[in-house]
């Protein structure tokens, strides 16, 4: 009964992170993302990057300093997808967005 203000604040923070991530990813050529509705895990489609045969999206982003979860861990064959946990500090999220944008721009 005393946790409602805390819960509301956490949910608002997560919504803010989600909205920031969705806006940022939609502005990065080669990436796509549908806004998650009930989780703090984003499913990012990197198929528009047209990565070299054999290179997964997770490997591509790993080389840019991002440790994203490989899509194939969640859906067989989804090597062109990654999962990003946005249940983190805003500063950490901003750093991830910056690295993601920089890696895609250098492509």
């Amino acid at each position: 009964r005393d946790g409602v203000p805390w819960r509301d604040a956490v949910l608002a923070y997560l919504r803010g992170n989600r909205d920031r991530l969705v806006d940022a990813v939609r502005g990065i050529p080669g990436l796509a993302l549908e806004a998650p509705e009930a989780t703090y895990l984003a499913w990012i489609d990197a198929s528009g990057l047209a990565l070299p045969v054999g290179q997964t999206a997770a490997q591509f982003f790993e080389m840019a300093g991002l440790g994203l979860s490989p899509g194939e861990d969640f859906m067989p064959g989804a090597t062109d997808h990654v999962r990003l946990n946005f249940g983190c500090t805003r500063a950490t999220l901003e750093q991830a967005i910056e690295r993601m944008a920089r890696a895609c721009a250098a492509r």
Side-chain angles (χ1 to χ4, degrees):
R1 75 173 195 257
D2 295 326
V4 172
W6 172 86
R7 184 199 65 194
D8 291 347
V10 168
L11 291 174
Y13 194 86
L14 289 172
R15 275 191 297 277
N17 276 4
R18 177 202 61 201
D19 294 345
R20 172 66 182 113
L21 179 63
V22 168
D23 288 345
V25 169
R26 287 184 178 164
I28 300 173
L31 300 183
L33 167 65
E34 291 297 321
E37 294 181 12
T39 181
Y40 49 84
L41 301 170
W43 184 245
I44 300 173
D45 178 353
S47 60
L49 294 177
L51 297 173
V53 174
Q55 184 181 35
T56 68
Q59 291 167 338
F60 172 76
F61 287 117
E62 182 75 29
M63 292 186 329
L66 285 166
L68 304 177
S69 299
E72 61 269 20
D73 286 354
F74 307 97
M75 184 180 358
T79 59
D80 55 358
H81 285 72
V82 289
R83 193 180 236 184
L84 183 147
N85 182 334
F86 59 86
C88 58
T89 66
R90 193 71 42 84
T92 298
L93 180 62
E94 289 298 334
Q95 187 177 48
I97 289 169
E98 180 184 320
R99 289 178 184 184
M100 198 177 318
R102 192 172 45 237
C104 292
R107 187 82 199 102

